[in-house]
Amino acid sequence: MSTRTTLRTTGVAVRAMLVLTLLLGVGYTLLVTGIGQVLLPWQTNGSMLAGERGSTLIGQSFTDAEGDALPQYFQSRPSAAGDGYDGASSGGSNLGPENPDLVAVIEERRAAVAEREGVDPSQVPADAVTASASGLDPHISVAYALLQVPRVAEARGLPEQEVRDLVESRIQGRDLGFLGEERINAAELNLALDDREGR
């Protein structure tokens, strides 16, 4: 192959790379971002909670510096992501249901939740003691939210029925009407309580 042919082939390859980089690397990205901003602006911008207090898609911890549950807040499910709800360390514990370490942790959590909520350990829902696969799930079951109503109402000095009504107004249905279970976003629920009290 001659030098002239090599230079010509190299020039074609460089031009093709530049055109495709502009077309697919810049143009496609701008197109998809623009479509997202027009059709789904809230989701495209991170599904942020009011006041930029986090994302509705990432769970949050409602504990004090020592890790103790704050009584005026609905507690999220446990997180196995880093030190808890760490988006950079998403993932579950990868321990199987028969693993003695996991069984011990679950029993410890069950006893702690039962004591905090003043119920028998058999009444503690599974999501109160187990982490989600991502470790970042912001949702809790309706049963776990309702279990916490008396404690939260007492801590905030609110009528229990008022807190129960707020919980029931926050229930999110199954995806597409049949996938998964009804659930409640704990961060949104706590934010609604704070906003109601003007915090």
Side-chain angles (χ1 to χ4, degrees):
M1 185 183 285
S2 70
T3 304
R4 185 176 196 174
T5 304
T6 302
L7 288 173
R8 182 176 175 278
T9 304
T10 302
V12 168
V14 168
R15 285 193 300 272
M17 181 192 70
L18 291 173
V19 168
L20 289 173
T21 298
L22 287 172
L23 183 66
L24 300 175
V26 178
Y28 176 76
T29 304
L30 291 174
L31 176 67
V32 170
T33 301
I35 290 172
Q37 288 292 339
V38 170
L39 298 179
L40 303 165
W42 185 68
Q43 292 90 335
T44 302
N45 293 314
S47 305
M48 301 303 287
L49 290 166
E52 306 272 328
R53 296 184 238 184
S55 171
T56 61
L57 303 175
I58 306 284
Q60 296 182 26
S61 177
F62 298 96
T63 57
D64 61 20
E66 285 77 42
D68 296 324
L70 294 169
Q72 71 272 29
Y73 288 108
F74 286 88
Q75 295 301 303
S76 303
R77 66 186 302 175
S79 173
D83 291 330
Y85 296 107
D86 179 359
S89 299
S90 175
S93 67
N94 293 327
L95 300 177
E98 303 290 324
N99 184 287
D101 294 335
L102 180 62
V103 171
V105 166
I106 287 173
E107 289 309 314
E108 183 181 311
R109 288 174 181 161
R110 187 182 317 280
V113 171
E115 182 180 346
R116 183 176 69 230
E117 305 304 338
V119 298
D120 187 85
S122 65
Q123 293 179 275
V124 176
D127 65 308
V129 296
T130 56
S132 65
S134 69
L136 302 174
D137 187 0
H139 298 100
I140 58 176
S141 66
V142 175
Y144 187 30
L146 292 174
L147 183 75
Q148 299 180 68
V149 165
R151 171 183 48 81
V152 172
E154 182 181 346
R156 290 182 179 259
L158 295 172
E160 196 171 306
Q161 189 58 50
E162 182 179 335
V163 177
R164 184 177 301 278
D165 291 344
L166 182 63
V167 167
E168 291 173 353
S169 74
R170 294 283 168 174
I171 295 174
Q172 298 173 4
R174 292 177 166 91
D175 293 330
L176 302 177
F178 67 95
L179 294 174
E181 296 296 327
E182 291 184 331
R183 63 208 180 276
I184 295 172
N185 187 302
E188 289 181 334
L189 178 58
N190 286 327
L191 183 60
L193 277 168
D194 284 348
D195 288 348
R196 178 170 286 198
E197 295 186 349
R199 292 188 180 188

